[in-house]
Amino acid sequence: PERPPGTISLGGVPERYRPSESYSLELTLVDATARVGGFQIAARVAEGPNAGRQAGTVCAIDSRVVVATDSASGTQYASHSIAAPADSLRWRLTWRAPPADVGGVIFHIVANAADDDDSPLGDAILTSTVVTQPRKGAPASESTTSGC
């Protein structure tokens, strides 16, 4: 039988970000057949000479999310700490925008909607992207702390 399609969404990403401002994000995975799920997300500069580099800072706000930094590229990856049961396929995290206008920022999102049978059969990998642009002429947030 054909598997019904699932969806992932990332809420809280502003249409236009203000440098150094923090934003509360929520990733939601909807899949009628999933018994467990997980995700990974990264925020990168979308274009220009710094394309692909880390854009801002991603922070976990509870124990359901972990953040790891790739030592070679400096890219942060937020992901689930353990597979979530079907009734809680939502994760919250914080993103602090870069301290200066870096142009567009793209969030690369991947999620796994799984049937929890310890095999790749019956699972679905979902991908999405969300882009935010800088708010032109907006001064950086007055916060001077690093992180989120």
Side-chain angles (χ1 to χ4, degrees):
E2 192 162 316
R3 187 178 205 292
T7 61
I8 53 174
S9 62
L10 183 62
V13 176
E15 186 176 318
R16 301 213 171 266
Y17 69 86
R18 182 177 175 193
S20 296
E21 190 150 321
S22 290
Y23 298 91
S24 295
L25 308 181
E26 183 174 85
L27 186 130
T28 303
L29 168 59
V30 176
D31 187 292
T33 62
R35 298 186 67 181
V36 295
F39 79 98
Q40 186 177 74
I41 185 171
R44 297 183 173 114
V45 176
E47 55 195 27
N50 293 314
R53 293 199 180 167
Q54 178 65 32
T57 306
V58 179
C59 297
I61 60 172
D62 63 38
S63 63
R64 297 185 65 230
V65 175
V66 296
V67 178
T69 303
D70 181 282
S71 60
S73 69
T75 302
Q76 291 182 304
Y77 295 94
S79 64
H80 61 282
S81 57
I82 59 170
D87 63 350
S88 61
L89 297 177
R90 292 177 188 269
W91 297 269
R92 296 181 324 133
L93 55 146
T94 300
W95 174 65
R96 180 180 288 273
D101 177 348
V102 296
V105 172
I106 187 167
F107 291 85
H108 294 278
I109 309 154
V110 64
N112 184 0
D115 60 9
D116 201 23
D117 71 353
D118 293 326
S119 83
L121 303 175
D123 298 348
I125 303 299
L126 307 164
T127 62
S128 183
T129 57
V130 176
V131 177
T132 180
Q133 297 294 331
R135 187 178 304 164
K136 295 298 179 191
S141 176
E142 293 187 22
S143 173
T144 57
T145 60
S146 61
C148 294

